[in-house]
Every structure is written in C-alpha cells, then in structure tokens.
Amino acid sequence: YLFRLLGSLQTLRCIVPVGEWRFEADRNDYCGKRDYEIECEGEDEASLQEAAKYLKESFSCRESTAKYLRFLREYEKGLAEGLSCR
C-alpha cells in the first residue's frame, strides 16, 4: 500500500490571545497517552522569541519535539510491546 493508517492522534485546541500574540493550547491523545503543548506561530522572529521568553518565565514552559514525532515514538514503542495505537 502507498498509505497505511498507523493509529489515531487527536488534538483539542484552545486559542488564547495574549496581547499581540495568539497562543494555541493543545491537548493531544494518542497511543493511550495524553500530553499538552502551547504553540505560538507567526511571521516575526523577534516577536516569537519574545513570546517564547514570556512562556518560559511565566509558566516554566520548555521546548518539546513535534507532536507527530512524539506519536511516532509511542507507535514504535507500542510495536515493540505488541500494542496498537488505533
């Protein structure tokens, strides 16, 4: 097959405007796990660096890997343990 369904990754997103920024708070469910992330996207690099500093100082946030890579990591771990992510 050209494409094969590996599993399910569901994201619930809440958009939170803070000043000039637009944060996206996500809850991600996949492979029996749940995690949370905050994203801020934009065109102005300096403004995004300022937003990252704001999050780190205000909420003890840290950078993380992309949610698809986190899903793939759990998928591969599930394969090794004989579990499914569907």
Coordinates of all heavy atoms in Angstrom, one line a residue:
Y1 N 0.8 -1.2 0.0 CA 0.0 0.0 0.0 C 0.9 1.2 0.0 O 1.9 1.3 0.6 CB -0.9 0.0 1.2 CG -1.9 -1.1 1.3 CD1 -1.7 -2.2 2.2 CD2 -3.0 -1.1 0.4 CE1 -2.6 -3.2 2.2 CE2 -3.9 -2.2 0.5 CZ -3.7 -3.2 1.3 OH -4.6 -4.2 1.4
L2 N 0.4 2.3 -0.6 CA 1.1 3.6 -0.6 C 0.9 4.3 0.7 O 1.9 4.8 1.2 CB 0.5 4.5 -1.8 CG 1.2 5.8 -1.9 CD1 2.7 5.6 -2.2 CD2 0.5 6.6 -3.1
F3 N -0.3 4.2 1.3 CA -0.5 4.7 2.6 C -1.0 3.7 3.5 O -1.8 2.8 3.1 CB -1.6 5.9 2.5 CG -1.1 7.0 1.7 CD1 -1.6 7.2 0.4 CD2 -0.3 8.0 2.2 CE1 -1.2 8.3 -0.4 CE2 0.1 9.1 1.5 CZ -0.3 9.2 0.2
R4 N -0.7 3.8 4.8 CA -1.2 2.9 5.8 C -1.5 3.6 7.1 O -0.6 4.4 7.5 CB -0.1 1.8 6.1 CG -0.6 0.7 6.9 CD 0.5 -0.4 7.0 NE 0.8 -0.5 8.4 CZ 2.0 -0.6 8.9 NH1 3.1 -0.7 8.2 NH2 2.2 -0.6 10.2
L5 N -2.6 3.4 7.7 CA -3.0 4.0 8.9 C -2.2 3.5 10.0 O -2.2 2.2 10.3 CB -4.5 3.9 9.2 CG -5.0 4.5 10.4 CD1 -5.0 6.0 10.4 CD2 -6.5 4.0 10.7
L6 N -1.5 4.3 10.7 CA -0.7 3.8 11.9 C -1.4 3.9 13.2 O -1.2 3.0 14.0 CB 0.6 4.7 12.0 CG 1.6 4.7 10.8 CD1 2.7 5.7 11.1 CD2 2.1 3.3 10.6
G7 N -2.3 4.8 13.3 CA -3.0 5.0 14.5 C -3.8 6.3 14.6 O -4.0 6.9 13.5
S8 N -4.2 6.7 15.7 CA -5.0 7.9 15.9 C -4.3 8.9 16.8 O -3.8 8.6 17.8 CB -6.4 7.5 16.5 OG -7.1 8.7 16.8
L9 N -4.2 10.2 16.3 CA -3.7 11.3 17.1 C -4.8 12.3 17.0 O -5.1 12.9 16.0 CB -2.4 11.8 16.5 CG -2.0 13.2 17.0 CD1 -1.4 13.0 18.4 CD2 -0.9 13.8 16.1
Q10 N -5.4 12.6 18.2 CA -6.5 13.6 18.2 C -6.0 14.8 19.0 O -5.4 14.6 20.1 CB -7.7 13.0 18.9 CG -8.3 11.9 18.0 CD -9.6 11.4 18.6 OE1 -9.9 11.5 19.8 NE2 -10.5 10.9 17.7
T11 N -6.3 16.0 18.5 CA -5.9 17.2 19.2 C -7.1 18.1 19.4 O -7.9 18.4 18.5 CB -4.9 18.0 18.3 OG1 -3.7 17.2 18.1 CG2 -4.4 19.3 19.0
L12 N -7.2 18.6 20.7 CA -8.2 19.5 21.1 C -7.5 20.8 21.3 O -6.5 20.9 22.1 CB -8.9 19.1 22.3 CG -10.0 20.1 22.9 CD1 -11.1 20.3 21.9 CD2 -10.4 19.6 24.3
R13 N -7.9 21.9 20.5 CA -7.1 23.2 20.6 C -8.0 24.3 21.1 O -9.1 24.4 20.8 CB -6.6 23.5 19.2 CG -6.0 24.9 19.1 CD -5.3 25.1 17.8 NE -4.1 24.2 17.8 CZ -3.4 23.9 16.7 NH1 -3.7 24.4 15.6 NH2 -2.3 23.2 16.8
C14 N -7.4 25.1 22.0 CA -8.0 26.3 22.5 C -7.1 27.5 22.1 O -5.9 27.4 22.4 CB -8.1 26.2 24.0 SG -8.9 27.6 24.8
I15 N -7.6 28.4 21.5 CA -6.9 29.6 21.1 C -7.0 30.7 22.1 O -8.1 31.1 22.5 CB -7.3 30.1 19.7 CG1 -7.1 29.0 18.6 CG2 -6.6 31.4 19.3 CD1 -7.7 29.3 17.3
V16 N -5.8 31.2 22.6 CA -5.8 32.1 23.7 C -5.0 33.4 23.2 O -3.8 33.3 23.1 CB -5.1 31.5 24.9 CG1 -5.1 32.5 26.1 CG2 -5.7 30.2 25.3
P17 N -5.7 34.5 23.0 CA -5.0 35.7 22.6 C -4.4 36.4 23.9 O -5.0 36.5 24.9 CB -6.0 36.6 22.0 CG -7.3 36.1 22.4 CD -7.1 34.7 22.9
V18 N -3.1 36.7 23.8 CA -2.4 37.4 24.9 C -1.6 38.6 24.3 O -0.6 38.4 23.6 CB -1.4 36.5 25.6 CG1 -0.7 37.2 26.7 CG2 -2.2 35.3 26.2
G19 N -2.1 39.8 24.5 CA -1.5 40.9 23.9 C -1.4 40.8 22.3 O -2.4 40.5 21.7
E20 N -0.2 40.9 21.8 CA -0.1 40.8 20.3 C 0.0 39.4 19.9 O 0.0 39.1 18.7 CB 1.2 41.6 19.9 CG 2.5 40.9 20.5 CD 3.7 41.7 20.1 OE1 4.3 41.4 19.0 OE2 4.1 42.6 20.9
W21 N 0.1 38.4 20.8 CA 0.3 37.0 20.4 C -1.0 36.3 20.4 O -2.0 36.6 21.0 CB 1.3 36.3 21.4 CG 2.6 37.0 21.5 CD1 3.4 37.3 20.4 CD2 3.2 37.5 22.7 NE1 4.6 37.9 20.9 CE2 4.5 38.0 22.3 CE3 2.9 37.5 24.0 CZ2 5.4 38.6 23.2 CZ3 3.8 38.0 24.9 CH2 5.0 38.6 24.5
R22 N -0.9 35.1 19.7 CA -2.1 34.2 19.6 C -1.5 32.8 20.0 O -0.8 32.2 19.2 CB -2.6 34.2 18.2 CG -3.8 33.3 18.0 CD -4.4 33.4 16.6 NE -5.3 32.3 16.4 CZ -5.2 31.5 15.4 NH1 -4.3 31.6 14.5 NH2 -6.1 30.5 15.3
F23 N -1.7 32.4 21.2 CA -1.2 31.1 21.7 C -2.3 30.1 21.4 O -3.5 30.3 21.4 CB -0.9 31.1 23.2 CG 0.2 32.0 23.5 CD1 0.0 33.2 24.3 CD2 1.5 31.7 23.2 CE1 1.0 34.0 24.6 CE2 2.6 32.5 23.5 CZ 2.3 33.6 24.2
E24 N -1.8 28.9 21.1 CA -2.7 27.7 20.8 C -2.4 26.6 21.8 O -1.3 26.1 21.8 CB -2.5 27.2 19.4 CG -2.9 28.3 18.4 CD -2.5 27.9 17.0 OE1 -1.7 27.0 16.8 OE2 -2.9 28.6 16.0
A25 N -3.3 26.4 22.8 CA -3.1 25.4 23.8 C -3.7 24.1 23.3 O -4.9 24.1 23.0 CB -3.7 25.9 25.1
D26 N -2.9 23.1 23.2 CA -3.4 21.8 22.6 C -3.4 20.7 23.7 O -2.4 20.6 24.5 CB -2.5 21.3 21.5 CG -2.6 22.2 20.2 OD1 -3.4 23.1 20.2 OD2 -1.7 22.0 19.3
R27 N -4.4 19.8 23.6 CA -4.4 18.6 24.3 C -4.3 17.5 23.3 O -5.2 17.4 22.4 CB -5.6 18.4 25.2 CG -5.6 17.1 26.0 CD -6.9 16.9 26.7 NE -7.9 16.3 25.8 CZ -9.2 16.2 26.1 NH1 -9.7 16.7 27.2 NH2 -10.0 15.7 25.2
N28 N -3.3 16.6 23.3 CA -3.1 15.6 22.3 C -3.3 14.2 23.0 O -2.7 13.9 24.0 CB -1.7 15.7 21.8 CG -1.4 17.0 21.2 OD1 -2.1 17.5 20.4 ND2 -0.4 17.7 21.8
D29 N -4.1 13.4 22.3 CA -4.4 12.0 22.8 C -3.9 11.0 21.7 O -4.3 11.2 20.5 CB -5.9 11.8 23.0 CG -6.3 12.6 24.2 OD1 -5.8 12.3 25.3 OD2 -7.2 13.5 24.0
Y30 N -3.0 10.1 22.0 CA -2.5 9.1 21.1 C -1.9 7.9 21.8 O -1.3 8.1 22.9 CB -1.5 9.8 20.1 CG -0.3 10.4 20.9 CD1 0.9 9.7 21.1 CD2 -0.5 11.7 21.4 CE1 1.9 10.3 21.8 CE2 0.6 12.3 22.1 CZ 1.7 11.6 22.3 OH 2.7 12.2 23.0
C31 N -2.1 6.8 21.3 CA -1.5 5.5 21.8 C -1.7 5.4 23.3 O -0.8 4.9 24.0 CB 0.0 5.5 21.5 SG 0.4 5.6 19.7
G32 N -2.8 5.8 23.8 CA -3.1 5.6 25.2 C -2.4 6.7 26.1 O -2.4 6.6 27.3
K33 N -1.8 7.7 25.5 CA -1.2 8.8 26.2 C -1.9 10.1 26.0 O -2.6 10.2 25.0 CB 0.3 8.9 25.7 CG 1.2 7.8 26.1 CD 2.6 8.2 25.8 CE 3.0 9.2 26.9 NZ 4.4 9.3 27.2
R34 N -1.7 11.0 26.9 CA -2.2 12.4 26.7 C -1.1 13.3 27.1 O -0.4 13.1 28.1 CB -3.4 12.6 27.6 CG -3.9 14.0 27.6 CD -5.2 14.2 28.4 NE -6.3 13.6 27.6 CZ -7.5 13.5 28.1 NH1 -7.8 13.8 29.4 NH2 -8.5 13.0 27.4
D35 N -0.9 14.3 26.2 CA 0.1 15.4 26.6 C -0.5 16.7 26.2 O -1.6 16.8 25.5 CB 1.5 15.1 26.0 CG 1.5 15.2 24.5 OD1 0.7 15.9 23.8 OD2 2.4 14.6 23.9
Y36 N 0.2 17.7 26.6 CA -0.3 19.1 26.4 C 0.8 19.9 25.8 O 2.0 19.7 26.1 CB -0.7 19.7 27.7 CG -1.9 19.0 28.4 CD1 -1.6 17.9 29.2 CD2 -3.2 19.3 28.1 CE1 -2.6 17.2 29.8 CE2 -4.2 18.6 28.7 CZ -3.9 17.5 29.6 OH -4.9 16.8 30.2
E37 N 0.5 20.9 25.0 CA 1.5 21.8 24.5 C 0.9 23.2 24.2 O -0.3 23.3 24.0 CB 2.2 21.2 23.2 CG 1.3 21.1 22.0 CD 2.0 20.5 20.8 OE1 3.2 20.5 20.7 OE2 1.2 20.0 19.9
I38 N 1.8 24.2 24.2 CA 1.4 25.5 23.8 C 2.2 25.9 22.6 O 3.4 25.8 22.6 CB 1.6 26.5 25.0 CG1 0.8 26.1 26.2 CG2 1.2 27.9 24.5 CD1 1.0 26.9 27.4
E39 N 1.5 26.4 21.6 CA 2.2 26.8 20.4 C 1.9 28.3 20.1 O 0.9 28.8 20.5 CB 1.7 26.1 19.2 CG 1.8 24.6 19.2 CD 1.2 23.8 18.1 OE1 0.6 24.5 17.2 OE2 1.3 22.6 18.1
C40 N 2.8 29.0 19.5 CA 2.7 30.3 19.1 C 3.3 30.4 17.7 O 4.5 30.2 17.6 CB 3.3 31.3 20.1 SG 3.0 33.0 19.6
E41 N 2.6 30.7 16.7 CA 3.1 30.8 15.4 C 3.0 32.2 14.8 O 2.1 33.0 15.2 CB 2.4 29.8 14.4 CG 2.6 28.4 14.9 CD 1.9 27.4 14.0 OE1 1.5 27.8 12.9 OE2 1.7 26.3 14.4
G42 N 3.9 32.6 13.9 CA 3.8 33.9 13.4 C 5.0 34.1 12.4 O 5.8 33.2 12.1
E43 N 5.0 35.3 11.8 CA 6.0 35.7 10.8 C 7.2 36.4 11.4 O 8.3 36.4 10.8 CB 5.3 36.5 9.7 CG 4.2 35.9 9.0 CD 4.6 34.6 8.2 OE1 5.6 34.7 7.6 OE2 3.8 33.7 8.3
D44 N 7.0 37.1 12.5 CA 8.1 38.0 13.0 C 8.9 37.2 14.1 O 8.4 36.9 15.2 CB 7.4 39.2 13.7 CG 8.4 40.2 14.3 OD1 9.6 40.2 13.8 OD2 8.1 40.9 15.2
E45 N 10.1 36.9 13.7 CA 11.0 36.1 14.5 C 11.3 36.7 15.9 O 11.2 36.0 16.9 CB 12.4 35.8 13.8 CG 13.4 35.0 14.6 CD 13.0 33.6 14.6 OE1 12.3 33.0 13.7 OE2 13.5 32.9 15.6
A46 N 11.5 38.0 15.9 CA 11.7 38.7 17.2 C 10.5 38.6 18.1 O 10.7 38.4 19.3 CB 12.1 40.2 16.9
S47 N 9.3 38.7 17.6 CA 8.1 38.7 18.4 C 7.9 37.2 18.9 O 7.5 37.0 20.1 CB 6.9 39.1 17.6 OG 5.7 39.0 18.4
L48 N 8.3 36.2 18.1 CA 8.1 34.8 18.6 C 9.2 34.5 19.6 O 8.8 33.8 20.6 CB 8.3 33.9 17.4 CG 7.1 33.9 16.4 CD1 7.5 33.1 15.2 CD2 5.8 33.4 17.0
Q49 N 10.4 35.1 19.5 CA 11.4 34.9 20.6 C 10.9 35.5 21.9 O 11.1 34.9 23.0 CB 12.7 35.5 20.1 CG 13.4 34.7 19.0 CD 13.8 33.3 19.4 OE1 14.0 33.0 20.5 NE2 13.7 32.4 18.4
E50 N 10.3 36.6 21.8 CA 9.7 37.3 23.0 C 8.6 36.5 23.6 O 8.5 36.4 24.8 CB 9.2 38.7 22.6 CG 8.9 39.6 23.7 CD 8.4 41.0 23.3 OE1 8.9 41.5 22.2 OE2 7.6 41.6 24.0
A51 N 7.7 35.9 22.7 CA 6.6 35.1 23.2 C 7.2 33.8 23.9 O 6.7 33.4 25.0 CB 5.7 34.6 22.0
A52 N 8.2 33.2 23.4 CA 8.9 32.0 24.0 C 9.4 32.4 25.4 O 9.3 31.7 26.3 CB 10.0 31.5 23.1
K53 N 10.1 33.6 25.4 CA 10.6 34.0 26.7 C 9.5 34.2 27.7 O 9.6 33.9 28.9 CB 11.4 35.3 26.5 CG 12.0 35.9 27.7 CD 12.8 37.2 27.5 CE 13.3 37.7 28.8 NZ 13.9 39.1 28.6
Y54 N 8.4 34.9 27.3 CA 7.2 35.1 28.1 C 6.7 33.8 28.7 O 6.5 33.6 29.9 CB 6.1 35.8 27.4 CG 4.8 35.9 28.1 CD1 4.6 36.8 29.1 CD2 3.8 35.0 27.7 CE1 3.3 36.8 29.7 CE2 2.6 35.0 28.4 CZ 2.3 36.0 29.4 OH 1.1 36.0 30.0
L55 N 6.6 32.7 27.8 CA 6.1 31.4 28.3 C 7.0 30.8 29.3 O 6.6 30.2 30.3 CB 5.8 30.5 27.1 CG 4.6 30.9 26.2 CD1 4.6 30.0 25.0 CD2 3.3 30.7 27.0
K56 N 8.3 30.8 29.0 CA 9.3 30.2 29.9 C 9.3 30.8 31.2 O 9.4 30.1 32.2 CB 10.7 30.2 29.2 CG 10.8 29.3 28.0 CD 12.2 29.5 27.4 CE 12.3 28.6 26.1 NZ 13.5 28.8 25.4
E57 N 9.2 32.1 31.3 CA 9.3 32.9 32.5 C 8.0 32.8 33.3 O 8.0 32.7 34.5 CB 9.7 34.3 32.3 CG 11.1 34.5 31.8 CD 11.5 35.9 31.4 OE1 10.6 36.8 31.5 OE2 12.6 36.2 31.1
S58 N 6.9 32.8 32.6 CA 5.6 32.9 33.3 C 5.1 31.5 33.7 O 4.4 31.4 34.7 CB 4.5 33.5 32.4 OG 4.9 34.8 32.0
F59 N 5.4 30.5 32.9 CA 4.8 29.1 33.2 C 5.8 28.0 33.2 O 5.4 26.8 33.2 CB 3.8 28.8 32.1 CG 2.7 29.9 31.9 CD1 2.8 30.8 30.9 CD2 1.7 30.0 32.8 CE1 1.8 31.8 30.8 CE2 0.7 30.9 32.7 CZ 0.7 31.9 31.7
S60 N 7.0 28.3 33.3 CA 8.1 27.2 33.3 C 7.9 26.3 32.1 O 8.1 25.1 32.3 CB 8.0 26.4 34.6 OG 8.2 27.3 35.7
C61 N 7.6 26.8 31.0 CA 7.5 26.0 29.7 C 8.9 25.7 29.2 O 9.8 26.4 29.4 CB 6.7 26.8 28.7 SG 4.9 26.9 29.1
R62 N 8.9 24.6 28.4 CA 10.2 24.2 27.8 C 9.8 23.8 26.3 O 8.7 23.5 26.0 CB 10.8 23.1 28.5 CG 10.0 21.8 28.6 CD 10.6 20.7 29.3 NE 9.7 19.6 29.5 CZ 9.2 18.8 28.6 NH1 9.6 18.9 27.4 NH2 8.4 17.8 28.9
E63 N 10.8 23.8 25.5 CA 10.6 23.4 24.1 C 10.5 21.9 24.1 O 11.0 21.2 24.9 CB 11.8 23.9 23.3 CG 11.9 25.4 23.1 CD 13.0 25.8 22.2 OE1 13.3 25.0 21.2 OE2 13.5 26.9 22.4
S64 N 9.7 21.4 23.1 CA 9.4 20.0 23.0 C 9.5 19.6 21.5 O 9.6 20.4 20.6 CB 8.1 19.6 23.6 OG 7.0 20.1 22.7
T65 N 9.5 18.3 21.3 CA 9.5 17.8 20.0 C 8.1 17.9 19.4 O 7.1 18.0 20.1 CB 9.9 16.3 19.9 OG1 9.0 15.5 20.8 CG2 11.3 16.1 20.4
A66 N 8.0 17.8 18.1 CA 6.7 18.0 17.4 C 5.8 16.8 17.8 O 6.3 15.7 18.0 CB 7.0 18.0 15.9
K67 N 4.5 17.1 17.8 CA 3.5 16.1 18.2 C 3.6 14.8 17.4 O 3.4 13.7 17.8 CB 2.1 16.7 18.4 CG 1.5 17.0 17.1 CD 0.1 17.6 17.3 CE 0.3 19.0 17.7 NZ -1.0 19.8 17.9
Y68 N 3.8 15.0 16.1 CA 3.8 13.8 15.2 C 5.0 12.9 15.5 O 4.9 11.7 15.5 CB 3.9 14.3 13.7 CG 3.9 13.1 12.8 CD1 2.8 12.2 12.7 CD2 5.0 12.8 12.0 CE1 2.9 11.1 11.8 CE2 5.1 11.7 11.1 CZ 4.0 10.9 11.1 OH 4.0 9.8 10.2
L69 N 6.2 13.6 15.9 CA 7.3 12.8 16.3 C 7.1 12.1 17.6 O 7.5 10.9 17.8 CB 8.6 13.6 16.4 CG 9.1 14.2 15.0 CD1 10.3 15.1 15.2 CD2 9.4 13.0 14.1
R70 N 6.4 12.7 18.5 CA 6.0 12.1 19.8 C 5.1 10.9 19.5 O 5.2 9.8 20.1 CB 5.4 13.1 20.8 CG 6.3 14.2 21.2 CD 5.8 15.0 22.4 NE 4.4 15.5 22.2 CZ 4.1 16.7 21.7 NH1 5.1 17.5 21.3 NH2 2.9 17.1 21.7
F71 N 4.1 11.1 18.6 CA 3.2 10.0 18.2 C 4.0 8.8 17.7 O 3.8 7.7 18.1 CB 2.2 10.4 17.2 CG 1.5 9.3 16.5 CD1 0.4 8.7 17.2 CD2 1.9 8.9 15.3 CE1 -0.2 7.6 16.5 CE2 1.2 7.8 14.7 CZ 0.2 7.2 15.3
L72 N 4.9 9.1 16.7 CA 5.7 8.0 16.1 C 6.6 7.3 17.2 O 6.7 6.1 17.1 CB 6.7 8.6 15.0 CG 6.0 9.0 13.7 CD1 7.0 9.5 12.8 CD2 5.2 7.8 13.1
R73 N 7.1 8.0 18.1 CA 7.9 7.4 19.2 C 7.1 6.4 20.0 O 7.5 5.3 20.3 CB 8.5 8.5 20.1 CG 9.5 7.9 21.1 CD 10.1 9.0 22.0 NE 10.3 10.2 21.3 CZ 10.1 11.5 21.8 NH1 9.6 11.6 23.0 NH2 10.3 12.5 21.1
E74 N 5.8 6.8 20.3 CA 4.9 5.9 21.1 C 4.5 4.8 20.2 O 4.3 3.7 20.7 CB 3.7 6.7 21.6 CG 4.1 7.7 22.7 CD 4.7 7.0 23.9 OE1 4.3 5.9 24.3 OE2 5.7 7.5 24.4
Y75 N 4.2 5.0 18.9 CA 3.8 4.0 18.0 C 4.9 2.9 17.9 O 4.6 1.7 18.0 CB 3.6 4.6 16.6 CG 3.4 3.5 15.5 CD1 2.1 2.9 15.4 CD2 4.4 3.2 14.7 CE1 1.9 1.9 14.5 CE2 4.1 2.2 13.7 CZ 2.9 1.6 13.6 OH 2.7 0.7 12.6
E76 N 6.2 3.3 17.8 CA 7.3 2.4 17.7 C 7.4 1.6 19.0 O 7.7 0.4 19.0 CB 8.6 3.1 17.3 CG 8.5 3.5 15.9 CD 9.7 4.4 15.5 OE1 10.5 4.8 16.4 OE2 9.8 4.7 14.3
K77 N 7.2 2.3 20.1 CA 7.3 1.6 21.4 C 6.2 0.6 21.6 O 6.4 -0.5 22.0 CB 7.2 2.6 22.6 CG 7.5 2.1 23.9 CD 7.2 3.0 25.1 CE 7.6 4.4 25.0 NZ 7.3 5.2 26.2
G78 N 5.0 1.0 21.1 CA 3.9 0.0 21.1 C 4.1 -1.2 20.2 O 3.7 -2.3 20.6
L79 N 4.7 -1.0 19.1 CA 5.0 -2.1 18.2 C 6.0 -3.1 18.9 O 5.8 -4.3 18.9 CB 5.7 -1.7 16.9 CG 4.9 -1.1 15.8 CD1 5.7 -0.7 14.7 CD2 3.8 -2.1 15.4
A80 N 7.0 -2.6 19.6 CA 7.9 -3.4 20.3 C 7.2 -4.2 21.5 O 7.7 -5.3 21.8 CB 9.1 -2.6 20.9
E81 N 6.2 -3.6 22.0 CA 5.5 -4.2 23.2 C 4.2 -5.0 22.7 O 3.5 -5.5 23.5 CB 5.1 -3.2 24.2 CG 6.3 -2.5 24.8 CD 6.0 -1.3 25.7 OE1 4.8 -1.1 25.9 OE2 6.9 -0.7 26.2
G82 N 4.0 -5.0 21.4 CA 2.8 -5.7 20.9 C 1.5 -5.0 21.1 O 0.4 -5.6 21.1
L83 N 1.6 -3.6 21.2 CA 0.4 -2.8 21.4 C 0.0 -2.1 20.2 O 0.8 -1.9 19.3 CB 0.6 -1.9 22.6 CG 1.0 -2.5 23.9 CD1 1.4 -1.3 24.9 CD2 -0.1 -3.3 24.5
S84 N -1.3 -1.6 20.1 CA -1.8 -0.9 19.0 C -2.0 0.6 19.4 O -2.4 0.9 20.5 CB -3.0 -1.5 18.4 OG -3.6 -0.7 17.4
C85 N -1.9 1.5 18.4 CA -2.2 2.9 18.6 C -3.5 3.3 17.9 O -3.7 4.5 17.7 CB -1.1 3.8 18.1 SG 0.4 3.8 19.1
R86 N -4.3 2.4 17.6 CA -5.6 2.7 16.9 C -6.7 2.9 17.8 O -6.8 2.5 18.9 CB -5.9 1.6 15.9 CG -4.9 1.6 14.8 CD -5.3 0.7 13.7 NE -4.2 0.7 12.8 CZ -4.1 -0.1 11.7 NH1 -5.2 -0.8 11.4 NH2 -3.1 -0.1 10.9

